[in-house]
Amino acid sequence: MSKMYHPSTPLPSRVREGHFGEAILPPAGVQPGPVYVYDAAIRLWHWVTFLAIIVLCVTGYFIGSPLPSVGGEAHEHYLFGWIRFTHFAAGMILGVAFVLRLYRVLVGGKHARQIFWIPFWSLGWWKEIFEEVRWYLIIGKPKEYVGHNPLAHFAMFFMFVLPMLVLLFTGFALYAEGAGVHTGWYTWFGWVFSVLGDSMTVRTWHHAAMWVVILFSMVHMYMAIREDMTHRQTTISAMISGWRFYR
Amino acid sequence: MGRQETFYELIRRQGISRRNFLKFCSLSAASLGLAPHFAGTIAHAMETKPRVPVIWLHGLECTCCTESFIRSAHPLAKDVILSMVSLDYDDTIMAAAGHQAEQAIEDIMRDYKGQYILAVEGNPPLGNDGTFCIPGGRPFVEKLKEVAADAAAVIAWGSCASWGCVQAAKPNPTTAVPIHKVITDKPIIKVPGCPPIAEVMTGVITFYVTFGQLPALDRQGRPLMFYGQRVHDKCYRRGHFDAGQFSEKFDDFGARAGYCLYKVGCRGPTTYNACSTTRWNEGVSFPIGSGHGCLGCSEPDFWDNGPFYERLETFPQFGAEMSADRIGATAAAIVGVGIAAHAGITALRQARVKPNTPVAADERVV
Ligand code: HEM
Ligand code: HEM
Ligand code: SF4
Ligand code: SF4
């Protein structure tokens, strides 16, 4: 774990991690050094995913509720076709990025793994969530974590990872439908229709999952900025340079 | 009972020429989407194979499948019923009635054990011990299980037998279920639609008679040759869809100009059926051709995926007219207000602590 610290950080200034990922700061009077949290692969994935999701939400919304009709002859336009194409292209990028992200889960260390599992059996972890809720209700006290705080961890699993899986599987299933039932796409993703029942239901799940991700993103962006401003540690830098600084 | 006549023997006896017989075979091959040389295969089967005994049962239904079936043009339903198969029992259209009819079904089940095809229209309601559907004095579900036990194969006609259809729509007061819920040990071929297209129904029978086996089925048990594409995939309005030309109302310019019906709820993109290729009434037209969106009648639970004239499905449990977009946007507005309020309170709180000191050191737990 020495990679976590900058070579120039003296031993006494290092921030260590407790059992639940909470930051154990050096004693008062010692300026804590920065910690390297998210490696380049995860940062790249985060921002590629961010851009892809924006494109997917906008084009997806217009697939569900198309714009007013264009005038003239049909052969002069391909507007809806391009909206759908952009959606599919961004969907492919999102999918490939997600698969590469899963590879980082295997080899990227504990911070790469964090949002993909939930220690639901650990009573202490739920207590940490409760503490965090108190802090967000502005009745508790802030606590610093090297990775995600438990509440963010919880939200990232239930409101990001799970709906992302729904979006990816239903999205690729709908794509398979367009490609045709005789294609490899359908061989890989046709089972989604057996699980959810019918094509319309698959579209509705796809659509509903979009709103879950939108709600998550709104709160997530707010919290990322708020935490950066109110906490003793930085957040946004952790997703840009990978380093979390303490003040 | 003696050996069943072949189809060929029968039509020759009826005075039909060999030339007309071969024409019939070519038409059947074409309607099944087979290569021209399969006309010969069909002719051979008709000449040599004994006619397949069929038992056609009716459960909870509206009989629209039968109405559709008897209008088949290629091949004519008459040819199928009277000639290709021997439709020995069909309580709706058979001449015999009452005890005579029940005798007929017993005879077939005994004489052609394991060889007859069971065709089911409608479905069994399980509620109240099955008493919501009582043909011949006992629950339909019992009769269905009994006849299915010795069938070679089972055909589920229409959306009722295949998926449940209107009687199984929420709240499904009679607990009507598709037949695969009660027949679990037989191959079932689903021919959904409300009703299915006549030529699709007769096509499935022709295929079975010709090749002695069920056609290739998809994951849900539908014949791929008729249900391998969506209505949308071969819709003649698809050019308007890709261009972005939609009719918004049934009386606007778009509707008159023949624009795509997606925004007025067309379910073509989510419906597997042959309507846009085979069409209806001897190929005259199909709903979209007449200016009405597809309702998705051949899809599971299409009654519950409404409203029919809206693009997006609604969630009645959240109130009338609530689509995923309306629910999502409402939630987003609430969350947005929450974020603004929370940010305001946070700012007030920050103002009480020293500038550039995010949170007073004494408040921190480390
Ligand atoms: C953040 C991720 C995504 C969001 C927010 C999103 C959003 C949407 C929305 C709102 C719709 C309209 C659904 C409806 O008609 O009710 C849609 C349709 C669709 N999406 Fe996505 N989507 C996402 C990811 C994907 C992915 C990864 C794929 C896979 C390539 C994909 C493929 C499709 C397809 C094929 C359709 C149907 C388009 C059509 O047939 O016209 N989506 N999406
Ligand atoms: C579509 C929008 C977004 C989504 C879905 C999203 C998703 C995520 C996810 C899943 C993580 C966890 C990364 C991991 O552990 O692998 C994360 C972390 C992070 N995101 Fe985003 N993100 C979005 C937009 C943004 C934006 C606009 C910002 C900038 C304000 C941002 C800042 C951060 C930061 C700072 C972290 C690290 C949090 C920490 O330090 O614990 N995100 N994001
Ligand atoms: S009318 Fe319906 S089936 Fe035809 S292109 Fe439009 S959405 Fe597709
Ligand atoms: S167009 Fe749609 S609703 Fe109409 S008959 Fe065909 S599948 Fe059924």
Side-chain angles (χ1 to χ4, degrees), chain B residues 2-237:
Chain B
R3 182 182 77 91
Q4 288 266 339
E5 279 189 299
T6 67
F7 173 55
Y8 184 63
E9 284 160 0
L10 185 120
I11 59 169
R12 287 314 296 266
R13 188 157 55 71
Q14 289 176 349
I16 291 170
S17 70
R18 177 158 181 86
R19 187 181 161 77
N20 275 338
F21 165 69
L22 291 176
K23 268 194 195 161
F24 167 82
C25 294
S26 311
L27 263 176
S28 301
S31 78
L32 288 174
L34 300 173
H37 72 264
F38 275 105
T41 314
I42 294 179
H44 184 72
M46 301 291 163
E47 282 163 3
T48 53
K49 292 200 180 144
R51 295 186 303 143
V52 183
V54 173
I55 297 178
W56 187 315
L57 294 185
H58 297 259
L60 212 59
E61 68 177 43
C62 75
T63 317
C64 77
C65 299
T66 296
E67 290 289 347
S68 176
F69 182 77
I70 58 177
R71 284 164 182 73
S72 175
H74 311 287
L76 280 172
K78 159 176 106 50
D79 293 322
V80 175
I81 303 177
L82 302 179
S83 317
M84 287 161 76
V85 300
S86 89
L87 184 56
D88 298 319
Y89 179 90
D90 182 335
D91 39 3
T92 304
I93 56 175
M94 72 199 296
H99 294 298
Q100 239 182 340
E102 295 313 302
Q103 186 60 45
I105 198 168
E106 273 165 33
D107 289 346
I108 309 158
M109 285 171 59
R110 189 187 53 244
D111 295 342
Y112 298 101
K113 199 172 165 150
Q115 293 164 37
Y116 60 87
I117 295 183
L118 167 61
V120 188
E121 184 177 347
N123 59 24
L126 304 183
N128 207 9
D129 297 326
T131 50
F132 291 116
C133 184
I134 307 267
R138 61 206 179 101
F140 177 62
V141 56
E142 283 177 20
K143 185 170 175 179
L144 178 63
K145 282 185 188 161
E146 200 177 289
V147 182
D150 290 324
V154 181
I155 301 178
W157 283 145
S159 292
C160 298
S162 302
W163 315 122
C165 208
V166 66
Q167 59 273 46
K170 283 174 197 147
N172 193 356
T174 64
T175 324
V177 294
I179 62 166
H180 63 254
K181 293 276 192 252
V182 297
I183 305 172
T184 47
D185 57 343
K186 295 279 163 182
I188 298 182
I189 177 168
K190 295 187 179 120
V191 188
C194 189
I197 302 171
E199 284 73 17
V200 168
M201 300 176 79
T202 50
V204 167
I205 292 182
T206 313
F207 189 99
Y208 185 81
V209 171
T210 308
F211 299 103
Q213 63 184 45
L214 297 179
L217 303 181
D218 72 2
R219 213 181 280 270
Q220 347 273 350
R222 299 172 289 196
L224 272 167
M225 62 206 321
F226 299 115
Y227 296 88
Q229 280 187 326
R230 298 169 300 172
V231 171
H232 184 63
D233 291 322
K234 284 285 180 325
C235 177
Y236 75 106
R237 298 193 184 208

Side-chain angles (χ1 to χ4, degrees), chain B residues 230-242 246 259-263 265-269 276 286 288 292-294:
Chain B
R230 298 169 300 172
V231 171
H232 184 63
D233 291 322
K234 284 285 180 325
C235 177
Y236 75 106
R237 298 193 184 208
R238 181 62 188 263
H240 293 295
F241 174 87
D242 288 332
F246 304 99
Y259 285 179
C260 168
L261 300 164
Y262 186 72
K263 281 175 104 170
C266 181
R267 296 288 189 264
S276 50
F286 72 121
I288 294 163
H292 191 287
C294 167

